[in-house]
Amino acid sequence: MLQRAGSSRSFPKHFNPGTTGSSSGDSASVPDHGSKVSARPETSLLVLNAPEPPPPWQELSGRVRRAVLAEGNRPSSLTKWFVSVLRGLFPILRWGRHYDRKSFRRDLMAGLTLASLGIPQSIGYANLAKLDPQHGLYSSFVPPLIYAVMGTSRDIAIGPVAVVSLLLSSMTQKLVDPYTHPEAYRSLVLTATFFAGIFQASFGFFRLGFVVDFLSHATIVGFTGGAAIVIGLQQLKGLLGINHFTNNTDVVSVIKAVWFAVHQPWNPDNLLIGFSFLVLIVIVRSIGLRKRNLFWLTAITPLLSVILSTLLVYLTRADKHGVKIIRQVKEGLNPSSVKQIRLTGPFIGETAKNGLICAIIALTEAVAVGRSFAAVRGYQLDGNKEMVAMGFMNIAGSLSSCYVATGSFSRTAVNVSAGCETTVSNMVMAITVFVSLQLLMKLLYYTPVTILASIILSALPGLIDIKEACRIWKVDKMDFLACLGAFLGVLFGSVEIGLLTAVIISFAKIIINALGPKVEILGRIQGTDTFCSMRQYPSVVETPNLLILRIDSPFLNFMNANSVKERILARITGGGDATMTRFLVLDMSNVTHIDTSGIPAVQEIHKKLTSNGVRLAMANPGWRVIHKMKLAGLVGIIGEEWIFLTVSEAVEACGRGNEEDDSSSG
């Protein structure tokens, strides 16, 4: 019933899918325990009679449906389907019906507070991305509006962030110099932003959030720490008023550039202004941390610093004496940048790669921030819908002169402290930025560049988490190695080298664990039907003439099939008590996938056990595992009567077979 003898699948020559347990030559040397085992539990039949797993296309369509529809199931009519799609894509349609005046007052205050911090930071981060200041403000206008109607987080504050700004500029300037070809550079940045949005939306639609998980928590801790130091060193250019500076991001190149610059004529007024306001921002922030009710003072200090430093330069005409100023900032609404998106050309492949890296980093930061505050405030964040929202906002942003935007931890903390209730606070912030673009840009003409460097430097300590790095070292040394690899790679190489180093170490950890899975011996806890590891629980007892092994790996595939086979057979053929074993129960509850290398390995285990007079029983194989075993005819080789739902049922059947064998031989 379960055999497919005519299968065209390619297996090793010794593997015969068409052979059944009763006709196999391997089973001739073993007593036919299966014929003597009676009263087979009904629950064990569930394993063999399970329906076929859904095909990949069905799973994919289900993922898209759950990502798009509000309820995740198939509506009964076209109208309901359309409404469900709208509610799925735009969560504001669900919670907006219950929005009240009290919530709006809180969101209004939070949005205004957020704008006071976001405006100076956005200008500074645009400078870090080697773009004109207005592009940072554009990125704090369009993306927050899109996210406000599509996002599921109530707290996230959207806009440009330091790490992504550094990442984007460091990768793009390798293709085009931002100072000699600013238009071509800007075009590549906008194109990378467009690709980032496409990738982010795709991750959300197809529920591919696991892609973001390739960057582990340890990797992000190391990466952001290294990036914070690099960003801080690069701000020495603005803080000291240096004209010529390196485009490289590694710490050695930056220190060399600073060392060379300070030995040239330079104006100390830039350092005096920047350092003074940096000290002011740090002092006010420390006060805000001690007294929570003064959080608003921490938020508006960067904006006050911009206003005061601008007035100082204007009144003293310090720009005539060597203080570098921003000069002209383009005012008005975001101009369309559709024609600047380049989907063809010599750099299209590199630009798409840059977009993918920025998409993953931006999503990792945003999802981490959103989940952290959602857990504190007691609501559920939909990660896949977050990715869709981030994708759409960056696609729209790339078409309106914005670069990659995401959730900012520092601004989100301010947003929460200011009492935000919903994403309306992002709308208020965006409208405030729009008003500033329309009316206030001329006032920024005399803003010193050094104040932007001070604002960025003041935000960096929050990116360096030494306490968390120590905790990672204490818990998992391999994770700490990935953290250290990302940190040193960013610091002494580049942001790409740091990420690549950490990902390689993380994959090496996965491969090492996959290549050497544990095969645990199980024993019974006395008086129960619970079986667990004898190494972990020394008090459990063994069953005479019976060996129970559990494969502690989700995969039995080409990477570990041979290793698992050798470990299992070593337990039987290793001599000593192993020679007394008459039954082997293989607990497959942890194995969820098996491939065409794992199936012959199981058949080889069965063959070797049979030749040693040992009967193999299998407990709780995964859904896809039993399905593939049916297709390959392996169920017939092992015998349907020797596949069980639980270890307890398998042990009971082996016990009955053992008693009946003893009575017949007696």
Side-chain angles (χ1 to χ4, degrees):
M1 177 178 67
L2 300 171
Q3 302 170 53
R4 303 214 176 172
S7 174
S8 61
R9 290 168 177 79
S10 176
F11 293 95
K13 292 182 179 179
H14 67 274
F15 183 66
N16 182 10
T19 310
T20 64
S22 58
S23 60
S24 171
D26 298 338
S27 60
S29 59
V30 181
D32 189 6
H33 301 297
S35 62
K36 299 179 181 181
V37 177
S38 57
R40 176 175 173 78
E42 290 295 326
T43 54
S44 295
L45 297 176
L46 296 174
V47 179
L48 298 171
N49 295 331
E52 292 188 4
W57 64 265
Q58 187 175 337
E59 287 193 345
L60 188 61
S61 63
R63 289 179 177 181
V64 175
R65 186 171 61 252
R66 289 191 296 272
V68 173
L69 299 181
E71 292 80 13
N73 51 10
R74 203 177 272 105
S76 57
S77 67
L78 183 61
T79 302
K80 290 184 178 180
W81 178 86
F82 183 70
V83 171
S84 185
V85 168
L86 288 179
R87 293 179 64 190
L89 288 177
F90 304 105
I92 193 173
L93 297 177
R94 297 200 299 272
W95 58 261
R97 294 178 299 174
H98 311 291
Y99 195 68
D100 54 25
R101 187 177 300 175
K102 180 180 178 181
S103 297
F104 177 72
R105 285 199 300 268
R106 296 173 67 89
D107 285 334
L108 178 63
M109 180 59 67
L112 293 174
T113 307
L114 201 56
S116 67
L117 175 63
I119 289 174
Q121 280 192 349
S122 298
I123 296 173
Y125 293 151
N127 185 49
L128 182 60
K130 295 181 171 56
L131 294 168
D132 294 330
Q134 63 267 19
H135 290 285
L137 294 172
Y138 295 159
S139 301
S140 292
F141 171 50
V142 173
L145 288 177
I146 302 296
Y147 181 84
V149 299
M150 298 188 69
T152 61
S153 172
R154 306 171 192 168
D155 311 307
I156 285 183
I158 298 297
V161 296
V163 172
V164 176
S165 300
L166 171 69
L167 183 64
L168 193 57
S169 65
S170 66
M171 294 188 298
T172 307
Q173 69 185 6
K174 293 179 181 179
L175 306 177
V176 175
D177 190 283
Y179 302 108
T180 57
H181 301 91
E183 292 185 2
Y185 175 84
R186 184 167 58 251
S187 176
L188 291 182
V189 168
L190 294 173
T191 304
T193 302
F194 178 78
F195 278 117
I198 293 293
F199 284 122
Q200 289 173 331
S202 300
F203 294 159
F205 274 126
F206 299 112
R207 304 181 75 84
L208 301 177
F210 64 87
V211 175
V212 177
D213 295 332
F214 283 148
L215 296 180
S216 65
H217 171 67
T219 298
I220 295 300
V221 170
F223 173 77
T224 53
I229 294 176
V230 170
I231 292 169
L233 291 173
Q234 285 196 331
Q235 296 316 299
L236 293 177
K237 175 187 177 182
L239 199 64
L240 300 175
I242 299 172
N243 291 318
H244 303 288
F245 204 70
T246 179
N247 286 337
N248 296 329
T249 59
D250 63 282
V251 66
V252 176
S253 299
V254 173
I255 291 176
K256 283 183 178 179
V258 173
W259 179 261
F260 177 79
V262 296
H263 286 79
Q264 305 298 317
W266 62 287
N267 192 321
D269 291 345
N270 290 284
L271 178 61
L272 179 62
I273 294 172
F275 186 74
S276 300
F277 281 99
L278 175 60
V279 171
L280 173 65
I281 294 171
V282 171
I283 291 175
V284 172
R285 177 170 294 168
S286 65
I287 294 173
L289 289 175
R290 288 199 300 269
K291 298 182 179 180
R292 295 291 182 179
N293 59 328
L294 296 178
F295 71 90
W296 56 271
L297 189 60
T298 302
I300 66 172
T301 301
L303 183 60
L304 289 176
S305 299
V306 170
I307 296 171
L308 292 175
S309 62
T310 302
L311 283 174
L312 179 65
V313 172
Y314 175 74
L315 295 175
T316 62
R317 304 302 297 179
D319 58 307
K320 301 293 185 181
H321 304 284
V323 174
K324 299 182 66 177
I325 58 176
I326 293 178
R327 299 189 183 277
Q328 188 66 38
V329 178
K330 188 176 180 180
E331 59 186 4
L333 191 61
N334 301 34
S336 173
S337 54
V338 175
K339 294 183 178 179
Q340 297 183 57
I341 305 295
R342 298 282 184 265
L343 300 181
T344 59
F347 301 124
I348 184 64
E350 288 293 321
T351 305
K353 182 203 75 173
N354 296 347
L356 175 61
I357 295 174
C358 288
I360 294 176
I361 294 295
L363 281 178
T364 302
E365 181 169 355
V367 172
V369 171
R371 284 175 177 168
S372 298
F373 285 95
V376 170
R377 302 189 69 182
Y379 67 92
Q380 187 67 31
L381 188 75
D382 191 324
N384 290 293
K385 284 186 170 60
E386 284 293 290
M387 294 178 189
V388 173
M390 295 279 174
F392 273 93
M393 79 180 191
N394 279 315
I395 292 172
S398 68
L399 304 178
S400 53
S401 300
C402 308
Y403 73 98
V404 180
T406 187
S408 165
F409 185 84
S410 60
R411 292 198 292 275
T412 301
V414 168
N415 196 29
V416 172
S417 299
C420 73
E421 290 287 334
T422 66
T423 54
V424 170
S425 61
N426 274 285
M427 292 184 180
V428 174
M429 180 195 69
I431 293 171
T432 307
V433 171
F434 170 72
V435 173
S436 302
L437 281 165
Q438 292 292 97
L439 305 176
L440 305 179
M441 289 303 97
K442 290 181 180 179
L443 301 179
L444 295 176
Y445 184 91
Y446 289 101
T447 301
V449 173
T450 185
I451 196 65
L452 302 180
S454 299
I455 292 170
I456 294 176
L457 284 169
S458 68
L460 295 181
L463 298 177
I464 304 174
D465 197 342
I466 298 176
K467 184 182 294 186
E468 183 63 16
C470 294
R471 190 189 70 83
I472 293 171
W473 163 260
K474 182 179 180 180
V475 174
D476 192 318
K477 302 298 189 292
M478 197 70 177
D479 272 355
F480 180 79
L481 189 60
C483 176
L484 186 63
F487 178 79
L488 296 178
V490 171
L491 211 57
F492 295 101
S494 65
V495 287
E496 304 102 298
I497 291 175
L499 284 175
L500 183 62
T501 302
V503 170
I504 289 174
I505 294 174
S506 298
F507 269 101
K509 176 184 176 181
I510 294 172
I511 292 172
I512 289 171
N513 290 335
L515 289 176
K518 301 296 183 183
V519 178
E520 292 286 348
I521 301 178
L522 305 185
R524 187 198 297 265
I525 296 179
Q526 292 186 2
T528 71
D529 286 333
T530 303
F531 294 83
C532 35
S533 170
M534 297 187 66
R535 292 198 303 170
Q536 185 175 0
Y537 303 98
S539 61
V540 300
V541 296
E542 292 183 271
T543 303
N545 301 328
L546 176 64
L547 181 63
I548 310 169
L549 298 179
R550 184 184 66 211
I551 302 175
D552 284 344
S553 172
F555 304 102
L556 188 57
N557 56 20
F558 64 95
M559 288 195 299
N560 61 12
N562 191 58
S563 174
V564 170
K565 179 186 70 176
E566 291 177 352
R567 291 176 185 227
I568 292 175
L569 294 179
R571 301 290 186 182
I572 300 298
T573 60
D577 293 338
T579 57
M580 302 298 295
T581 302
R582 299 174 62 182
F583 295 89
L584 170 65
V585 176
L586 196 59
D587 183 2
M588 300 279 285
S589 55
N590 290 334
V591 183
T592 58
H593 289 82
I594 192 170
D595 67 0
T596 52
S597 297
I599 289 173
V602 175
Q603 193 221 4
E604 184 68 20
I605 292 170
H606 177 267
K607 181 179 179 181
K608 292 288 186 182
L609 293 177
T610 301
S611 64
N612 282 273
V614 179
R615 166 60 69 180
L616 173 65
M618 188 175 291
N620 197 22
W623 193 9
R624 299 186 185 280
V625 174
I626 192 65
H627 177 63
K628 291 185 178 181
M629 287 173 59
K630 288 179 182 180
L631 295 178
L634 188 55
V635 169
I637 293 174
I638 296 174
E640 294 181 14
E641 66 277 12
W642 289 104
I643 297 178
F644 301 89
L645 182 62
T646 66
V647 173
S648 176
E649 292 173 356
V651 170
E652 184 180 352
C654 292
R656 288 196 302 270
N658 195 26
E659 292 172 0
E660 293 174 4
D661 281 345
D662 290 341
S663 61
S664 63
S665 61

